[in-house]
């Protein structure tokens, strides 16, 4: 078959699918998505084919060359080593890349029973990517590669050029991304068109198990090379396109077969692309925005790309029959959808509050995932990856997510008490500094071998506040009092002499020498930050922090200075500290709530200026379009919420501060047929300040709105203007 004709016909199919008809113009939100945003710089995003929250993320994998290749792909690179079926998006640690296929050049041969992976050069200009579809034209070998996916199955199409008299594929089970390496592998040819096996690996996920089955559209012959880790697949008919379906399961080969049977029994590649596109449109369409002004198109692209990125994970981690591999390593079966890839230290701040708004139908399954992880490992998830607890990052970030679901009414019946028990138990363990916290009331830096004691303590404190709120709801007065007391931990670390949070020794002495700018990655008092940034990590008790400063004036003066001070973080500072405005670091998550603290002191106009600056300077319609790691949807979720003019500062409970939206209207589908619309009247680059607010046509003076009010549907109209107003200034109107 002539490759040029195939490429032309494929282009027509793709263009037809993307074409804007009179009706599709209002429904094809995928045309606003630019998946390349964040593939450069330090964004670390996944590029490839997947569906919302899918177990499979099928895409190109490049050689690991350092930190910026955590997803397996970086815009600066042009070398391929495979098309793997699982990737992370936006993390600061690399893993996955499992079960990779790659067309082989003619001269690539095995030597001494070993197979050195070929490195195939490609051009980014030869790539085509849209939600649910990835394609690249390779030169050597001369082949056109197309990828698409369902939740648990990846589908490939390889069209070989007329000059390819024979065609071979490499099946690679050895290579992963970053820290990952294969511990045990198996591949076997079940028939002329079916290959199955497994890959058990050790990496960030310490005991990952992937089982797979591959079906080919034509007979192939598998020759094992280097044991069961690598195989060469010889095609029987290279003159015709090769279709490959690869189903995954963390349980068994039989379950992988069942996943394929139910999700992708046929061979219609174009229909699979269309189904993936529809799945994305169904999710992206949950927020319909309008944008005005000269930057309207870019804002719309940034917004919908952010929404797209926010739904790469959490990933489905149960098979179609309900079976999944639990945190205890055993196979379980549930009547819920189990999830994994829970980057909770990042995502409890914005991504999960966003999910409660637009994915209400998934929150019951999310709660069950958390509760079952608790049963299987004895604590709520910290950073869960492929059924493994990585214990990555500090604090108890699973607690705010679960507490938020309780307080918003997503957990009912007996599960409410189970959720509370999971939160309380997780908060009372003697691990990761909590033993010292219970003994001293804080974590002394001379009693903790891993350090980061201030960051740990502050994160535990906000989680303790969340436990207290649920205890209060359930009438558990003693627990409420105990956890509220622990949530005030920040007061012990606060030095009133200079207004900074500092580390404490076991005898109560403050860290000396002290430099608020200094940040030594993982070896000092803070996690990926310094005292300038962590002094504000009290989202659960902003008014209490204000009192600790002594007055609103002193608090505000310090907060103002955060955005203008300059200083040297030192050579040991984490690269995560990025996206700086003064010492405000938007590229990392502990800073994400800070701009909204102005609402709490009656000066929301100050936050408005900085919000607009951050959205303009830290988010671009370009491959280097993120100021820091995407972090599994958190960086994008912050933009989505802020672009609509809403943000949940308190880590649980549903109190959303009103900011300064860059979209002129956002209609949010809250579920149950309820649409909550945020409309910014007279909005522009100059009119950034809220003048007055109407809720369902009636005057509304508060600078925040509660989740329950949003859930009922209605219209929140923000009348914007070029000068600060008295909106939100009165004490009674502050959050």
């Amino acid at each position: 078959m002539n490759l040029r004709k195939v490429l032309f016909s494929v282009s027509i199919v793709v263009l037809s699918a993307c074409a804007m008809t009179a009706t599709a113009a209002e429904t094809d939100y995928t045309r606003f998505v630019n998946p390349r945003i964040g593939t450069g710089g330090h964004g670390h995003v996944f590029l490839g084919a997947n569906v919302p929250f899918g177990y499979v993320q099928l895409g190109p994998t490049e050689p690991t060359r350092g930190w910026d290749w955590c997803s397996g792909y970086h815009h600066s690179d042009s070398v391929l080593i495979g098309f793997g079926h699982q990737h992370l998006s936006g993390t600061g640690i690399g893993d996955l890349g499992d079960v990779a296929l790659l067309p082989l050049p003619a001269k690539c041969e095995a030597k001494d029973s070993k197979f050195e992976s070929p490195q195939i050069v490609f051009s980014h200009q030869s790539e085509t990517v849209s939600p649910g579809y990835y394609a690249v034209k390779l030169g050597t070998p001369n082949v056109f590669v197309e990828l698409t996916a369902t939740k648990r199955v990846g589908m490939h199409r390889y069209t070989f050029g007329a000059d390819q008299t024979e065609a071979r594929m490499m099946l690679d089970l050895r290579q992963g991304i970053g820290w990952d390496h294969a511990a045990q592998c198996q591949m076997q040819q079940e028939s002329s068109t079916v290959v199955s096996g497994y890959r058990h690996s050790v990496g960030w996920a310490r005991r990952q198990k992937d089982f797979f089955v591959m079906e080919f559209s034509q007979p192939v012959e598998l020759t094992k090379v280097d044991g069961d880790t690598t195989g060469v697949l010889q095609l029987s008919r290279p003159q015709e396109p090769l279709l490959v379906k690869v189903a995954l399961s963390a349980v068994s080969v039989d379950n992988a077969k069942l996943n394929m049977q139910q999700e992708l029994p046929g061979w219609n590649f174009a229909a699979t692309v269309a189904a993936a596109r529809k799945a994305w449109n169904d999710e992206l369409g949950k927020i319909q925005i309008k944008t005005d002004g000269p930057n309207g198109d870019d804002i719309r692209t940034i917004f919908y790309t952010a929404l797209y990125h926010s739904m790469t994970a959490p990933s489905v981690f149960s098979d179609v029959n309900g079976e999944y591999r639990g945190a205890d390593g055993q196979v379980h079966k549930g009547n819920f959808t189990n999830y994994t890839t829970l980057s909770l230290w990042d995502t409890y701040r914005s991504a999960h509050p966003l999910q409660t708004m637009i994915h209400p139908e998934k929150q019951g399954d999310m709660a069950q995932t958390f509760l079952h992880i608790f049963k299987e490992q004895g604590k709520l998830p910290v950073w869960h990856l492929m059924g493994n607890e990585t214990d990555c990052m500090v604090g108890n970030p699973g607690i705010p997510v679960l507490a938020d679901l309780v307080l918003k009414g997503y957990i009912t019946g007996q599960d409410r008490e189970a959720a509370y028990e999971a939160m309380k138990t997780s908060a009372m363990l003697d691990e990761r500094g909590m033993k010292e916290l219970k003994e001293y009331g804080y974590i002394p830096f001379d009693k903790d071998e891993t350090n980061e004691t201030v960051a740990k303590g502050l994160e535990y404190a906000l989680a303790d506040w969340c436990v207290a709120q649920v205890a209060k709801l359930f009438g558990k007065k003693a627990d409420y009092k105990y956890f509220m007391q622990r949530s005030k931990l920040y007061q012990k670390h606060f030095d009133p002499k200079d207004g900074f949070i500092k580390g404490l020794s076991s005898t109560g002495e403050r860290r000396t020498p002290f430099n608020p700018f200094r940040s030594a990655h993982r070896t000092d008092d803070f996690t990926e930050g310094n005292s300038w940034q962590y002094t504000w990590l009290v989202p659960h008790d902003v008014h209490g922090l204000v009192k600790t400063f002594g007055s609103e004036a002193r608090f505000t003066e310090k907060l103002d200075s955060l955005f203008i001070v300059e200083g040297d973080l030192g050579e040991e500072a984490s690269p995560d500290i990025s996206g700086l405005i003064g010492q405000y670091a938007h590229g990392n998550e502990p800073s994400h709530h800070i701009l909204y603290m102005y609402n709490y002191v009656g000066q929301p106009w100050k936050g408005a200026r900085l919000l607009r600056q951050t959205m303009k300077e830290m988010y671009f319609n370009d491959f280097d379009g993120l100021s820091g790691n995407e972090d599994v949807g958190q960086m994008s979720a912050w933009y989505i919420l802020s672009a609509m003019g809403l943000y949940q500062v308190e880590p649980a409970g549903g109190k959303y501060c009103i900011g300064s939206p860059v979209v002129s209207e956002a209609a949010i589908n809250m579920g149950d047929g309820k649409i909550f619309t945020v409309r910014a009247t007279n909005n522009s680059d100059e009119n950034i300040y809220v003048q007055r607010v109407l809720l369902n046509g009636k005057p509304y003076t508060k600078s925040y709105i509660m989740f329950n009010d949003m859930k009922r549907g209605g219209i929140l109209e923000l009348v914007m203007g070029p000068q600060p107003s008295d909106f939100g200034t009165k004490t009674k109107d502050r959050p």
Side-chain angles (χ1 to χ4, degrees):
M1 182 176 291
N2 185 284
L3 179 61
R4 183 175 298 175
K5 290 181 179 178
V6 171
L7 288 174
F8 178 78
S9 63
V10 168
S11 298
I12 292 297
V13 170
V14 173
L15 289 173
S16 298
C18 295
M20 291 175 57
T21 64
T23 56
E26 296 180 359
T27 58
D28 187 10
Y29 300 97
T30 65
R31 73 186 188 275
F32 303 132
V33 175
N34 177 8
R36 297 182 187 275
I37 293 176
T39 59
H42 299 318
H44 297 188
V45 303
F46 160 70
L47 186 79
N50 63 331
V51 295
F53 309 105
Y55 180 50
V56 166
Q57 298 92 30
L58 175 56
T61 304
E62 301 167 342
T64 299
R65 307 186 194 276
W67 185 59
D68 281 328
W69 278 257
C70 286
S71 73
Y73 182 98
H74 195 264
H75 183 80
S76 65
D77 208 342
S78 58
V79 175
L80 288 175
I81 59 173
F83 296 100
H85 286 78
Q86 292 181 315
H87 295 81
L88 293 170
S89 186
T91 58
I93 300 178
D95 207 323
L96 307 184
D98 299 73
V99 189
L101 288 171
L102 185 69
L104 285 174
K107 296 181 180 180
C108 187
E109 300 293 343
K111 297 179 181 179
D112 301 325
S113 299
K114 298 287 184 181
F115 199 93
E116 293 187 8
S117 297
Q119 296 194 349
I120 296 177
V121 177
F122 73 104
S123 168
H124 293 295
Q125 285 69 40
S126 298
E127 291 179 300
T128 301
V129 60
S130 63
Y133 177 81
Y134 173 89
V136 61
K137 172 63 176 67
L138 304 178
T140 305
N142 181 13
V143 60
F144 183 55
V145 181
E146 298 172 278
L147 309 173
T148 189
T150 66
K151 284 184 179 180
R152 301 170 180 87
V153 186
M155 192 173 194
H156 310 232
R157 180 160 65 183
Y158 299 91
T159 306
F160 294 86
D163 59 329
Q164 303 293 111
T165 56
E166 71 168 5
R168 300 178 304 161
M169 303 287 293
M170 179 179 69
L171 169 56
D172 192 351
L173 303 183
R174 299 169 304 167
Q175 298 189 93
I177 296 169
W179 286 252
D180 178 278
H181 68 274
Q184 185 178 3
C185 300
Q186 182 187 83
M187 60 176 70
Q188 61 181 2
Q189 184 152 11
E190 295 190 5
S191 70
S192 63
T193 57
V194 176
V195 172
S196 65
Y198 59 79
R199 180 180 191 267
H200 300 170
S201 59
V202 177
W204 192 12
R206 289 185 288 271
R207 57 169 192 270
Q208 183 187 354
K209 294 188 177 183
D210 260 326
F211 299 86
F212 69 89
V213 62
M214 296 182 173
E215 288 191 20
F216 299 85
S217 62
Q218 60 177 270
V220 298
E221 182 179 346
L222 171 66
T223 301
K224 296 182 183 180
V225 181
D226 195 10
D228 274 76
T229 63
T230 316
V232 175
L233 297 157
Q234 183 76 44
L235 275 64
S236 60
R237 299 192 293 270
Q239 69 278 9
E240 65 182 56
L242 171 69
L243 292 169
V244 190
K245 298 185 295 184
V246 183
L248 299 184
S249 166
V251 173
S252 66
V253 169
D254 286 342
N255 273 19
K257 292 178 179 179
L258 186 61
N259 290 340
M260 184 181 295
Q261 179 183 341
Q262 290 201 17
E263 287 193 1
L264 195 57
W267 292 96
N268 192 325
F269 187 87
T272 308
V273 172
R277 192 182 307 279
K278 181 182 184 303
W280 279 113
N281 271 318
D282 288 346
E283 298 293 346
L284 295 171
K286 289 181 175 180
I287 306 179
Q288 300 178 22
I289 65 168
K290 296 179 181 178
T291 58
D292 299 313
N295 301 321
D297 289 345
D298 271 349
I299 290 172
R300 184 169 52 191
T301 296
I302 294 167
F303 184 94
Y304 280 108
T305 304
L307 195 54
Y308 164 77
H309 281 148
S310 78
M311 293 186 281
T312 299
S315 306
V316 167
F317 194 60
S318 53
D319 296 323
V320 293
N321 63 359
E323 292 184 343
Y324 67 93
R325 190 168 297 278
D328 55 2
Q330 302 303 307
V331 175
H332 301 268
K333 186 170 185 177
N335 58 356
F336 66 99
T337 299
N338 190 47
Y339 286 95
T340 190
T341 320
L342 300 168
S343 180
L344 297 172
W345 183 82
D346 307 290
T347 56
Y348 83 78
R349 306 169 201 266
S350 301
H352 281 280
L354 174 65
Q355 284 185 30
T356 62
M357 294 166 62
I358 63 174
H359 305 302
E361 75 285 353
K362 293 179 172 59
Q363 299 316 300
D365 288 338
M366 193 64 62
Q368 290 301 318
T369 295
F370 278 51
L371 294 178
H372 281 76
I373 289 174
F374 171 73
K375 292 177 184 178
E376 293 154 10
Q377 69 178 26
K379 65 180 182 183
L380 287 171
V382 179
W383 210 124
H384 239 251
L385 178 60
M386 300 298 159
N388 291 257
E389 181 56 77
T390 70
D391 276 327
C392 188
M393 309 309 291
V394 298
N396 263 325
I399 289 177
V401 177
L402 198 58
D404 200 35
L405 294 180
V406 172
L407 296 172
K408 289 177 178 175
Y410 283 117
I411 302 178
T412 59
Q414 294 180 344
D415 286 338
R416 286 172 22 120
E417 191 63 38
Y420 181 74
E421 182 62 29
M423 287 184 276
K424 180 179 177 180
T425 300
S426 300
M428 295 299 291
L429 298 175
D430 287 338
E431 63 169 31
R432 299 183 299 124
M434 281 186 281
K435 180 179 180 181
E436 290 74 21
L437 187 153
K438 288 185 289 185
E439 180 179 353
Y440 292 92
Y442 59 93
I443 307 174
F445 59 71
D446 56 346
K447 296 290 184 179
D448 191 287
E449 295 180 357
T450 60
N451 224 325
E452 304 178 289
T453 56
V454 176
K456 288 178 183 177
L458 294 175
E459 292 284 357
Y460 285 139
L462 66 87
D464 289 340
W465 179 87
C466 295
V467 180
Q469 304 315 300
V470 179
K472 181 179 180 181
L473 178 68
F474 292 173
K476 300 177 184 293
K477 296 180 180 180
D479 284 358
Y480 171 75
K481 182 178 179 180
Y482 172 75
F483 284 108
M484 281 299 288
Q485 181 181 9
R486 279 188 18 176
S487 76
K488 305 289 186 181
L489 169 148
Y490 68 91
Q491 296 175 352
K492 294 181 172 66
H493 287 286
F494 186 84
D495 188 345
K497 293 180 180 179
D498 56 12
F500 282 110
I501 293 282
K502 299 177 181 178
L504 292 172
S505 72
S506 56
T507 58
E509 297 172 343
R510 302 191 187 281
R511 172 80 77 176
T512 56
F514 172 75
N515 179 350
F517 294 97
R518 181 182 182 275
S519 176
H521 189 44
R522 308 270 186 206
T523 61
D524 65 6
D525 297 325
F526 306 101
T527 300
E528 301 173 0
N530 61 21
S531 186
W532 265 111
Q533 291 138 20
Y534 270 88
T535 292
W536 314 100
L537 190 56
V538 192
H540 60 290
D541 190 17
V542 180
H543 293 299
L545 182 61
V546 171
K547 291 178 181 178
T548 304
F549 270 91
S551 68
E552 279 192 4
R554 190 178 178 208
F555 172 90
T556 306
E557 181 182 22
K558 188 78 168 187
L559 185 56
D560 291 344
S561 65
L562 172 69
F563 302 98
I564 57 175
V565 293
E566 301 289 344
D568 185 6
L569 279 69
E571 295 180 357
E572 300 177 77
S574 168
D576 290 285
I577 308 173
S578 58
L580 291 172
I581 301 175
Q583 283 297 293
Y584 170 77
H586 189 73
N588 211 23
E589 282 67 30
S591 292
H592 276 186
H593 66 287
I594 296 176
L595 301 180
Y596 291 92
M597 285 180 140
Y598 282 111
N599 286 44
Y600 287 76
V601 290
Q603 299 181 23
W605 71 87
K606 288 185 177 178
R609 289 199 304 263
L610 291 161
L611 284 164
R612 290 295 183 106
Q613 180 182 353
T614 301
M615 285 184 273
K616 183 177 181 180
E617 296 181 359
M618 305 299 173
Y619 295 87
F620 294 97
N621 182 13
D622 197 356
F623 63 86
D624 192 10
L626 294 173
S627 60
N629 301 164
E630 167 62 16
D631 282 314
V632 197
Q634 168 62 25
M635 193 70 67
S636 288
W638 185 95
Y639 182 87
I640 295 162
L641 290 168
S642 295
M644 297 190 298
L646 303 169
Y647 194 83
Q648 180 173 299
V649 173
E650 295 170 13
K655 187 181 293 180
Y656 289 77
C657 289
I658 295 173
S660 180
V662 294
V663 302
S664 56
E665 184 172 297
I668 309 164
N669 187 339
M670 304 287 292
D672 294 329
K674 303 296 184 181
I675 305 298
F676 181 73
T677 300
V678 182
R679 182 175 298 152
T681 305
N682 302 325
N683 200 28
S684 69
D685 289 343
E686 295 75 30
N687 294 350
I688 66 174
Y689 303 103
V690 176
Q691 307 296 299
R692 58 190 178 90
V693 177
L694 300 173
L695 179 60
N696 298 325
K698 298 180 180 179
Y700 185 85
T701 59
K702 300 184 186 300
S703 64
Y704 65 92
I705 186 168
M706 297 302 297
F707 177 79
N708 286 338
D709 292 326
M710 297 161 56
K711 195 173 182 179
R712 286 192 286 266
I715 298 176
L716 182 72
E717 183 178 1
L718 311 179
V719 181
M720 310 299 290
Q723 299 295 329
S725 72
D726 62 353
F727 170 74
T729 59
K730 296 178 181 179
T731 302
K732 66 181 181 66
D733 292 329
R734 304 174 189 179

